[in-house]
């Protein structure tokens, strides 16, 4: 049985990819070689939060962690 896949995101490039979960392995972005952030298996890219970050100047990482938009 193959290992379960989960989502990893690059906040700089705004891309996500599904890869096998391994908490000890560092993931790198295929585009910019930056670090990928673990996003979980039920991740769905949130365009509304990114639009909010651009509009307000808030960092994308902070906007993506918000529970609700103000």
């Amino acid at each position: 049985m193959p290992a379960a896949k989960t989502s990893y995101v690059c906040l700089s490039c705004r891309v996500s990819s599904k890869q096998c979960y391994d908490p000890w392995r560092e993931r790198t972005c295929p585009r910019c070689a930056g670090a990928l952030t673990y996003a979980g298996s039920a991740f769905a890219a949130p365009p509304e939060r990114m639009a909010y970050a651009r509009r307000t100047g808030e960092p994308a990482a902070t906007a993506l962690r918000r529970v609700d938009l103000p």
Side-chain angles (χ1 to χ4, degrees):
M1 180 181 223
K5 292 194 174 190
T6 189
S7 294
Y8 291 86
V9 296
C10 176
L11 298 175
S12 304
C13 297
R14 296 178 52 200
V15 297
S16 65
S17 65
K18 292 226 177 221
Q19 300 179 7
C20 293
Y21 178 71
D22 183 358
W24 297 281
R25 183 175 160 208
E26 295 235 357
R27 307 293 175 144
T28 56
C29 177
R31 289 186 179 180
C32 71
L36 290 177
T37 303
Y38 172 72
S41 58
F43 174 76
E48 180 183 50
R49 295 191 192 296
M50 294 306 293
Y52 173 80
R54 279 192 302 276
R55 188 173 61 247
T56 62
E58 182 174 54
T62 305
L64 290 172
R65 286 192 302 258
R66 286 186 169 277
V67 177
D68 291 316
L69 296 177

